Amino acid sequence: MTQAARSPGRGGPETEAAGPDVGPVRVRVAPSPTGPIHVGNMHTAFFNWLFARGRGGAFILRFEDTDLERSDPKFERLIFEEMRWLGLDWDEGPDIGGPYGPYRQSERLPLYEEYARRLVESGHVYPCYCTAEELEAERAEAQRAGVAYKYSGRCRRLGEAERERFETEDRVPALRFAVPGGRVVVIDDLIRGRIEYPTEAISDFIIVRPSGMPLYNFAVVVDDITMRVSHVIRGEGHIPNTPVQCLIYEALGERQPRFGHVGHILLPSREKMAKRAGNAYVGMYREEGFLPEALINFMALLGWTPADGREFLTLREILAEFSLERVTKAPSVFDPEKLTWMNANYIRRLDREELARRCLPFLKKAGLVAESLGEDPPDAAPDPPAGMVRSDFERVVWIVSLEQERIETLKDIVAATEFFFRRDIEPDEAALKMLREAGDILDEALQTYRNHEDWSPTSLEAAGRALVERLGLSGRKVFQPIRAAVTGRVASPPLFDTMAALGRDLCLERMARAVAFTASSSSSRPPPSGADGR
Ligand code: GLU
């Protein structure tokens, strides 16, 4: 559409969009609270925030909630929460107010009425009595003829008598903008450079429905004027709206903001990150255990690169280096695998206590530790949930640090460490197979460790090595069954660290149970192998 609508060299007067003088920097993001916030919207919010913060400007949050059916305060709260989670704050907004409020469109209806009246009085807008059916018929006709639909302009040319007839029929008019013909609207886009739109390509558009509700292109202009917005930075999907909005500014005789349109965000399959796609919601990343600093870093690199091309940047560093000049108009690719890789990197950089604090909500949600763990007093070991081992914060720090190198998301901590918290474990298939084949070895290991008191990793390892020596087997042959017995799986963090963190009682209990299990599944016990030197 953009390319098609560009038509350099067309004659006629040009409408120059905002010049350099747009006053103090005031930018905004205007999501609709009709669902959970989407990565694309958050990305736009983030770039606006960076632009405002980098220039000492104001960042405004307002809601486009004229879709009363679908707008919901619960989604407003989610938007607040998720912006805060990522570290984005705002200077004016529906929750904190500000000098140019209210900040919800549903509370601004008198303002739209006032501006619509101005446009009616100046003759830029006319009442349109066409019914939905009549418009549909026009549209179908255009389709049949294979041409792009454009309103016929029937009501623009209405005579006094016809207008009166419609009024007596009780038809309630919409308000339509009379688009001037033979003109080219020029947008000096901050990211994409010059964009030209011939007005011939723009249909007379509705600004207020018969119900009195303003439409997006009109309401957004009234909001941006009355909130003194200096720069409109948004996704490229809004490029076709921009000339329409420019015409409204012009008709009102108001100063236009500068526009900048950021490229689309695509999935690796090159599909647009559709609103309802599973990986489109910011909240999902929070619930899946992505760190806000990883998501912010990742989002910064969607359409922007720092001068030296490095990939890991803190929010502070991004802020120091961000400029619209380095934002590309090309689409950027949201690669979930790269985000996961980046997240794992960020997890590795956390100090152990911080990692534990971040993992706690996930462990609590999974019911592995007490709800009050880690709250005041921090060293308390509250009663554990049923079936769980008693843990204090220190124990959690120890356990999660054993998995720090392996987990990619905070949520991964649940599956990775469950066996540390559950009193009873269900060994998985691979562990069961290993246990069945190693009854004698486990018996020996149980004897060894029953007589062992010092439960530090080094001492546990010394005892384990002595056992290996005595049995004349490989370390692996001896240690894997022990691992299977105490963790219920065949892969875990280093065995002796794991045993130390599990504690003596739990290890002995699990080894004893494994021995009993191997004894009961006698048929599966293999004959001692000569090669093993027994
Ligand atoms: N509600 C619109 C959106 O989120 C706002 C567009 C604009 O910034 O003008 O896409």
Side-chain angles (χ1 to χ4, degrees):
M1 165 98 196
T2 332
Q3 298 301 354
R6 264 174 210 221
S7 99
R10 265 188 81 97
E14 293 185 344
T15 306
E16 195 68 59
D21 175 28
V22 284
V25 168
R26 289 178 54 80
V27 295
R28 81 316 186 264
V29 65
S32 298
T34 51
I37 190 161
H38 181 248
V39 170
N41 275 130
M42 192 60 92
H43 182 253
T44 302
F46 182 30
F47 277 22
N48 275 283
W49 180 90
L50 287 168
F51 187 74
R53 293 290 171 262
R55 295 177 161 219
F59 176 56
I60 305 162
L61 172 61
R62 71 171 185 241
F63 287 134
E64 295 202 344
D65 63 343
T66 48
D67 184 344
L68 298 176
E69 299 267 291
R70 290 172 57 229
S71 296
D72 192 322
K74 116 179 147 213
F75 295 126
E76 293 192 358
R77 281 193 299 276
L78 269 182
I79 293 170
F80 295 146
E81 253 175 48
E82 275 149 20
M83 288 190 40
R84 287 196 193 104
W85 175 66
L86 286 169
L88 308 185
D89 55 350
W90 49 98
D91 307 297
E92 298 167 32
D95 55 336
I96 52 174
Y100 306 106
Y103 293 89
R104 277 186 195 87
Q105 286 189 333
S106 61
E107 295 164 8
R108 300 170 61 80
L109 298 180
L111 267 170
Y112 307 129
E113 269 169 41
E114 175 194 326
Y115 278 80
R117 203 166 333 134
R118 268 169 63 177
L119 289 174
V120 173
E121 280 162 13
S122 61
H124 289 95
V125 150
Y126 58 90
C128 172
Y129 296 90
C130 295
T131 62
E133 295 75 36
E134 287 162 349
L135 294 173
E136 194 41 55
E138 277 193 7
R139 200 168 281 119
E141 180 56 41
Q143 203 166 12
R144 257 195 306 280
V147 294
Y149 173 66
K150 206 176 147 188
Y151 175 58
S152 64
R154 183 171 80 138
C155 290
R156 189 169 173 172
R157 298 181 298 267
L158 231 45
E160 207 43 49
E162 280 168 300
R163 190 165 297 177
E164 264 167 35
R165 179 166 62 80
F166 286 142
E167 291 284 343
T168 52
E169 281 174 10
D170 278 344
R171 290 202 192 197
V172 182
L175 294 181
R176 238 184 232 280
F177 191 94
V179 174
R183 297 266 311 275
V184 175
V185 180
V186 177
I187 302 150
D188 177 18
D189 193 284
L190 289 161
I191 296 166
R192 322 180 89 80
R194 188 180 170 97
I195 301 175
E196 299 183 354
Y197 264 91
T199 55
E200 301 308 331
I202 306 171
S203 174
D204 281 4
F205 54 90
I206 292 179
I207 65 161
V208 178
R209 285 187 218 283
S211 66
M213 271 298 177
L215 268 84
Y216 159 73
N217 273 320
F218 173 59
V220 79
V221 166
V222 174
D223 291 345
D224 287 339
I225 291 170
T226 51
M227 292 183 188
R228 315 264 203 280
V229 167
S230 62
H231 297 76
V232 170
I233 302 163
R234 57 189 174 193
E236 69 171 297
H238 284 291
I239 293 175
N241 291 323
T242 308
V244 171
Q245 294 171 14
C246 289
L247 291 172
I248 303 175
Y249 281 103
E250 192 191 69
L252 287 166
E254 297 280 352
R255 185 178 64 183
Q256 298 180 25
R258 298 291 313 266
F259 293 96
H261 291 93
V262 182
H264 281 310
I265 301 177
L266 305 178
L267 291 170
S269 60
R270 312 302 287 181
E271 285 163 299
K272 265 195 255 166
M273 228 175 150
K275 265 205 168 120
R276 267 160 272 278
N279 44 10
Y281 297 124
V282 175
M284 193 206 81
Y285 292 95
R286 182 162 61 153
E287 280 163 25
E288 288 299 311
F290 286 82
L291 304 183
E293 57 269 48
L295 186 56
I296 272 288
N297 188 159
F298 178 79
M299 285 201 307
L301 302 179
L302 294 175
W304 174 79
T305 34
D308 63 4
R310 72 190 190 282
E311 291 206 289
F312 285 89
L313 298 102
T314 62
L315 185 54
R316 192 185 287 264
E317 289 166 338
I318 297 165
L319 185 51
E321 296 188 35
F322 184 85
S323 71
L324 283 186
E325 285 76 56
R326 298 196 60 83
V327 171
T328 68
K329 61 182 178 186
S332 52
V333 176
F334 186 105
D335 180 354
E337 274 178 32
K338 179 172 175 192
L339 172 58
T340 304
W341 166 82
M342 194 166 241
N343 199 57
N345 261 279
Y346 269 94
I347 285 180
R348 269 171 228 145
R349 293 162 184 220
L350 293 177
D351 87 48
R352 316 161 64 215
E353 297 210 351
E354 182 58 22
L355 175 63
R357 262 191 292 279
R358 308 256 197 137
C359 287
L360 268 180
F362 293 88
L363 296 172
K364 289 180 181 178
K365 192 163 176 222
L368 300 178
V369 300
E371 275 299 325
S372 60
L373 202 154
E375 287 160 20
D376 297 336
D379 54 352
D383 286 343
M388 300 300 150
V389 175
R390 187 177 296 273
S391 299
D392 61 9
F393 185 64
E394 271 314 304
R395 183 170 190 264
V396 174
V397 172
W398 191 0
I399 290 170
V400 304
S401 66
L402 291 177
E403 286 291 354
Q404 186 158 15
E405 296 293 319
R406 287 172 189 74
I407 56 171
E408 294 184 315
T409 67
L410 296 174
K411 199 178 172 188
D412 287 347
I413 202 70
V414 171
T417 63
E418 219 170 355
F419 69 84
F420 283 102
F421 297 102
R422 291 192 187 283
R423 185 143 280 290
D424 297 322
I425 49 169
E426 290 283 336
D428 61 24
E429 273 308 313
L432 283 176
K433 182 162 179 284
M434 175 144 308
L435 292 177
R436 279 191 204 105
E437 291 167 3
D440 292 340
I441 297 171
L442 278 172
D443 212 8
E444 296 281 356
L446 179 59
Q447 300 314 324
T448 299
Y449 285 113
R450 250 192 198 139
N451 296 319
H452 198 83
E453 290 298 328
D454 181 352
W455 221 255
S456 66
T458 41
S459 174
L460 287 166
E461 177 161 7
R465 299 259 170 233
L467 176 64
V468 165
E469 193 72 15
R470 191 155 59 74
L471 297 180
L473 297 172
S474 68
R476 192 178 160 76
K477 265 262 181 281
V478 176
F479 299 151
Q480 276 299 83
I482 301 178
R483 185 192 310 277
V486 300
T487 68
R489 48 182 84 178
V490 293
S492 78
L495 177 61
F496 303 107
D497 290 314
T498 302
M499 287 175 72
L502 278 166
R504 189 169 187 273
D505 293 350
L506 219 47
C507 288
L508 294 181
E509 200 178 296
R510 289 180 183 177
M511 278 196 260
R513 205 173 308 139
V515 168
F517 165 76
T518 56
S520 71
S521 51
S522 53
S523 65
S524 55
R525 190 184 288 201
S529 141
D532 275 354
R534 297 293 314 263

